[in-house]
Amino acid sequence: MSDTLLSVRGLKTQFGTRAGVIRAVDGVTFDVHRGRTLCIVGESGSGKSITARSILQIVGRPGKVVEGQMILSRPDKSAVDLAQLDPRSKQIRRIRGRDIAMIFQEPMESLSPVHTIGAQLVEKIRLHHPVTRKEAEDRAVAALDRVRIPGPRDRLGAYPFELSGGMRQRVMIAMALACRPQLLIADEPTTALDVSTQANILDLIRELQDETGMAVMFITHDLGVVAEIAHDVAVMYLGQVVERGTVDDIFYDPQHPYTQALLGSIPRLGARREDGKRLRAVHGMVPHPLARPGGCPFHTRCDEAVPGLCDVQAPRITDFSATHGAACHLRDPAMADLPRRKEATR
Ligand code: SF4
């Protein structure tokens, strides 16, 4: 496998509230490799977006990274632990945008409505590179051209509200890529777009990745998008990675009951009622973060849960290969007598 750009180990991000501590990210471990796309997938409330924001140290107050490592390899071969940086420090501000760029579901979250896109692009480029205004403008035009904005020089004077949703997302990508980051974090960037615009944006991200060799971390709840774009996948549930693997591991050999349930809930073209295969919805709701169940976090919704074990003891990750692992007692060789125990509890 290609080399590791970002190595996240045991990341924990918590929100201290009056009602209690919310463990939004609870010991997450994964790697992001150069030239590859890691999709982080899970339902709303699984902690995917907070994981992404933790990497850039942009978790809103009262959230805080409290434990773990996020080792980023720099182009000069040095390494920095992002978890150790003060969210307001110069060092993390230099990393944001230059080494790691992020695009969001709603471009207006990052674009200023009162400045032209040209002014915003030029400012971003000059913040990270010592270039003249003219040079920055030329780079901005090249960036817009690269994301296939028609008439890029004329568009420099446009305000975000003058562009369609798809165009705004392209401008966001242009802005993210203007400083040639090593890692692009995309947080549900196509969720608000219609399907054909979504396909265009996914093609564009893939093309730019082939061209630049950047790593992409793509956050989504849409398994169709995962199948389309991922090399590697991490499935998250209640702040934990419950299964990780290559896209083939996850789609052809899913091991965790949650992953299996997510895959079972995708409608398939051509499937007929007579075939007898019903869509399997993941029943129940993600528990409230302040009412986390003990033991395996998924046991309140799991059809295979073993009473007396799954509600008491948290499963450890079992590795099936160098790329594939899942956190479930049923897949743990140390729990080989589980089927007998399960029968005994019936
Ligand atoms: Fe289900 Fe138990 Fe496995 Fe958790 S550990 S996924 S509850 S079988």
Side-chain angles (χ1 to χ4, degrees):
M1 189 170 284
S2 37
D3 56 340
T4 304
L5 172 67
L6 176 70
S7 173
V8 175
R9 293 286 172 275
L11 174 68
K12 291 189 180 180
T13 303
Q14 299 180 347
F15 291 74
T17 69
R18 281 193 194 162
V21 174
I22 295 177
R23 287 149 54 192
V25 179
D26 199 29
V28 159
T29 290
F30 59 82
D31 291 324
V32 187
H33 301 279
R34 287 191 176 85
R36 290 178 74 88
T37 298
L38 168 73
C39 277
I40 309 262
V41 63
E43 292 164 285
S44 301
S46 59
K48 348 182 256 305
S49 293
I50 300 293
T51 301
R53 286 173 177 263
S54 301
I55 292 170
L56 283 172
Q57 293 276 15
I58 53 168
V59 181
R61 277 161 62 90
K64 204 174 166 201
V65 173
V66 295
E67 211 179 299
Q69 287 187 324
M70 298 182 279
I71 309 290
L72 175 74
S73 303
R74 310 290 302 279
D76 61 3
K77 306 272 181 245
S78 64
V80 58
D81 184 357
L82 304 175
Q84 297 302 322
L85 300 182
D86 184 319
R88 287 156 302 177
S89 65
K90 251 191 191 168
Q91 213 182 344
I92 190 76
R93 272 190 272 145
R94 255 190 250 126
I95 287 169
R96 287 180 203 137
R98 196 176 66 178
D99 293 275
I100 306 176
M102 186 158 176
I103 53 176
F104 300 89
Q105 179 178 338
E106 179 40 74
M108 291 310 276
E109 205 176 307
S110 314
L111 292 172
S112 160
V114 294
H115 295 97
T116 63
I117 58 170
Q120 295 182 60
L121 268 163
V122 165
E123 191 198 343
K124 169 102 188 273
I125 293 166
R126 294 193 75 196
L127 188 69
H128 293 291
H129 297 280
V131 291
T132 64
R133 178 163 289 280
K134 172 79 181 72
E135 283 165 335
E137 231 172 73
D138 290 343
R139 276 201 195 189
V141 172
L144 291 177
D145 191 37
R146 210 146 136 237
V147 297
R148 300 198 286 269
I149 298 268
R153 195 164 287 279
D154 298 337
R155 294 285 177 175
L156 289 182
Y159 288 89
F161 68 83
E162 295 178 286
L163 306 174
S164 66
M167 287 271 241
R168 279 205 287 262
Q169 202 51 283
R170 281 171 193 273
V171 169
M172 269 306 305
I173 296 173
M175 202 172 269
L177 299 187
C179 294
R180 298 172 196 139
Q182 305 182 73
L183 171 61
L184 175 69
I185 300 179
D187 188 0
E188 308 247 15
T190 56
T191 306
L193 304 174
D194 63 75
V195 278
S196 58
T197 312
Q198 167 173 301
N200 287 336
I201 297 286
L202 294 181
D203 281 348
L204 178 63
I205 291 176
R206 230 183 344 229
E207 245 176 70
L208 294 169
Q209 183 179 42
D210 288 347
E211 219 175 90
T212 62
M214 69 181 173
V216 176
M217 187 173 144
F218 202 101
I219 316 279
T220 182
H221 62 270
D222 184 339
L223 284 163
V225 169
V226 177
E228 184 81 8
I229 198 165
H231 296 103
D232 306 300
V233 182
V235 181
M236 282 191 73
Y237 187 79
L238 264 189
Q240 298 180 354
V241 172
V242 295
E243 183 160 5
R244 53 158 184 78
T246 62
V247 67
D248 285 352
D249 291 333
I250 298 297
F251 276 81
Y252 295 116
D253 188 25
Q255 292 293 320
H256 195 281
Y258 179 57
T259 315
Q260 291 168 349
L262 284 179
L263 288 166
S265 63
I266 306 175
R268 290 180 203 284
L269 267 185
R272 291 170 308 168
R273 186 182 267 192
E274 307 85 73
D275 296 341
K277 283 195 180 162
R278 296 178 67 91
L279 276 185
R280 281 176 48 199
V282 191
H283 62 76
M285 305 278 290
V286 178
H288 189 279
L290 282 171
R292 277 181 84 86
C296 170
F298 188 54
H299 84 260
T300 53
R301 305 172 72 193
C302 180
D303 292 334
E304 298 184 53
V306 181
L309 174 69
C310 295
D311 49 346
V312 177
Q313 192 179 321
R316 56 180 193 165
I317 288 257
T318 301
D319 288 319
F320 314 111
S321 69
T323 56
H324 193 191
C328 172
H329 290 308
L330 295 181
R331 313 293 176 249
D332 185 345
M335 300 278 179
D337 66 334
L338 262 185
R340 269 184 286 119
R341 277 207 243 171
K342 200 172 176 185
E343 275 311 308
T345 58
R346 285 208 169 128

